[in-house]
Amino acid sequence: MRFETKAIHCGRAVDASTGAVSLPLNTSTTFQRSVDGSFPSGFEYTRDGNPTRNAFEMAMAALEGGEDGIAFASGMAAIAAVFESHPSTGRIVLPDDMYFGIRSLIDETDIGSRFDFAAVDMRDLDAVRAAVTSKRTGLVWVETPSNPMIRVVDISAICKIAHEAGALAVVDNTWATPVLQRPLEIGADAVMHSATKYIGGHSDLMAGVVIVPHSSPLGRPLRMVQRHKGSVAAPFDCWLALRGLQTLSVRMRAHCEGAQKVAEALASHPRVEKVLFPGLQNDPGHDLAKRQMSHYGAMLSFIVKGGADAAMAVAGRLEVVARATSLGGTHSLIEHRASVEGAKSKAPGGLLRMSVGLEHPQDIVDDLMQALGGTFKAAAE
């Protein structure tokens, strides 16, 4: 089956008892034993297994080309589980432009004291190699495109460096989704998604999922963290995510087409210092993204001339684009990352990060142009 067909059918079948084509939501926390004490349904207690969650895990494994999926209560729960489950207490190598939630996880929980973390610019393969080989490394964490600087890094090359050092490589594929990028096929040992974003697609659920290939050393440890630490995704969130998967391919095409038009319009505006988006030919990650991804994604950042005050003023004038955290939903969202992340932010003061939604692209462009001052036509002239 091709991707679109898998997204609709994998993990789901017509309900045998009712003939329902749409997968029923199963919220039961407990399941009946037979008279001999066994569980003929295969389910005992919802923390150990739930029909709706199992269906979501199977669907995600199929779409990423993996063997198993392990669904968590959030993307951060999935990330923490990977850090705790990798088969080494040694170094974890991270991108210096990592998701800010990971910085907070390291700084504000015991995770930071339990492992040795090293952050490097993963576009520099020599820097990655030095970080991986300078000390026993158990895990290399990859984000591409990165948040919020939209950097593209070479998944295959970094996986090779990790494997040569005996480490595992795990890729956060949240922004690209399996529609645009397939990390397991080019060497990754696992793939993580915040399903809250494009997988769900409607800004109405929270879940995370890790997909592992056959015989992965991460498979059982992750499952044990999920079960015994209680970090399971709720059945209703899994049901919503399964609903979202059915339109993921169509939505991603529209997201990407809109983002390309928005990026090109922003790049022509005199008040925009720089647009960070691999779909632009002058972007440093363009050629690599063209080889590694089937499209360039729907996340972009742009730097407004005049710094933080000017950027905040632009965001404040927007009427269609919402000033809100998160990404991957139907609404276009914008955020001033430096003020959100605080003193440790790596984002320039003038940077606005944008998730291009499913509104008509010209309406998004028009809103940005009026917020920046002037029309796209005037900017182009």
Side-chain angles (χ1 to χ4, degrees):
M1 291 188 291
R2 291 167 176 82
F3 186 95
E4 293 83 354
T5 310
K6 288 181 180 180
I8 293 170
H9 291 279
C10 284
R12 287 151 287 187
V14 172
D15 183 59
S17 61
T18 65
V21 173
S22 180
L23 182 79
L25 168 62
N26 194 312
T27 60
S28 182
T29 59
T30 191
F31 302 86
Q32 183 169 268
R33 298 174 186 267
S34 65
V35 293
D36 64 0
S38 63
F39 292 92
S41 68
F43 297 100
E44 176 181 357
Y45 184 61
T46 199
R47 182 160 44 80
D48 298 324
N50 173 279
T52 310
R53 189 172 74 243
N54 285 17
F56 173 55
E57 292 175 338
M58 291 170 63
M60 286 302 303
L63 294 181
E64 281 286 7
E67 175 72 16
D68 195 14
I70 304 97
F72 295 88
S74 68
M76 283 307 306
I79 293 168
V82 171
F83 288 179
E84 291 187 312
S85 299
H86 80 281
S88 169
T89 57
R91 169 170 286 188
I92 297 176
V93 176
L94 304 158
D96 59 354
D97 185 34
M98 72 186 84
Y99 167 49
F100 193 75
I102 296 181
R103 294 185 189 276
S104 299
L105 178 71
I106 294 169
D107 291 343
E108 299 178 20
T109 76
D110 66 326
I111 292 284
S113 61
R114 290 167 55 192
F115 303 99
D116 171 45
F117 290 93
V120 299
D121 183 345
M122 289 197 171
R123 296 172 299 178
D124 183 346
L125 295 180
D126 287 335
V128 175
R129 193 172 289 107
V132 170
T133 58
S134 63
K135 183 180 289 190
R136 175 167 166 72
T137 300
L139 178 68
V140 179
W141 182 262
V142 182
E143 297 179 26
T144 182
S146 71
N147 181 5
M149 300 301 292
I150 325 292
R151 295 174 179 172
V152 180
V153 302
D154 191 329
I155 294 173
S156 179
I158 292 174
C159 289
K160 183 178 179 182
I161 292 169
H163 295 158
E164 287 174 349
L168 300 176
V170 179
V171 177
D172 181 343
N173 206 29
T174 298
W175 282 21
T177 80
V179 176
L180 308 182
Q181 187 167 266
R182 305 292 293 278
L184 293 180
E185 294 179 359
I186 51 178
D189 296 290
V191 172
M192 193 285 301
H193 288 272
S194 172
T196 310
K197 313 304 192 299
Y198 290 106
I199 299 300
H202 294 79
S203 304
D204 57 6
L205 70 93
M206 181 170 285
V209 61
V210 181
I211 301 95
V212 295
H214 182 68
S215 300
S216 169
L218 286 170
R220 178 174 169 75
L222 284 168
R223 186 68 74 184
M224 293 306 100
V225 170
Q226 180 203 48
R227 290 178 179 174
H228 301 313
K229 293 194 173 184
S231 186
V232 293
F236 184 54
D237 288 329
C238 292
W239 186 85
L240 288 172
L242 280 163
R243 184 193 64 176
L245 281 179
Q246 296 175 83
T247 59
L248 178 62
S249 183
V250 176
R251 286 188 287 107
M252 289 308 297
R253 285 199 293 270
H255 279 300
C256 292
E257 290 170 5
Q260 186 71 38
K261 292 176 181 177
V262 168
E264 290 172 358
L266 287 169
S268 299
H269 199 285
R271 290 197 62 200
V272 174
E273 180 179 320
K274 190 175 185 180
V275 178
L276 309 175
F277 180 67
L280 299 176
Q281 291 190 2
N282 63 352
D283 187 272
H286 177 76
D287 291 341
L288 176 57
K290 191 173 184 179
R291 297 195 306 270
Q292 188 168 270
M293 303 169 69
S294 62
H295 212 297
Y296 302 108
M299 295 297 300
L300 60 88
S301 292
F302 61 100
I303 301 174
V304 179
K305 292 179 181 178
D309 290 343
M312 291 290 281
V314 169
R317 288 192 290 268
L318 290 165
E319 298 173 359
V320 174
V321 180
R323 295 176 298 279
T325 295
S326 202
L327 55 106
T330 57
H331 292 62
S332 291
L333 306 177
I334 201 162
E335 195 166 50
H336 182 251
R337 290 303 297 175
S339 62
V340 170
E341 297 177 359
K344 293 186 178 181
S345 177
K346 303 291 185 181
L351 182 141
L352 293 171
R353 189 195 74 180
M354 186 172 178
S355 170
V356 177
L358 296 180
E359 302 95 343
H360 193 287
Q362 191 58 50
D363 289 331
I364 304 171
V365 169
D366 289 346
D367 192 31
L368 288 163
M369 294 302 114
Q370 66 81 20
L372 286 161
T375 64
F376 173 54
K377 180 179 179 181
E381 291 175 349

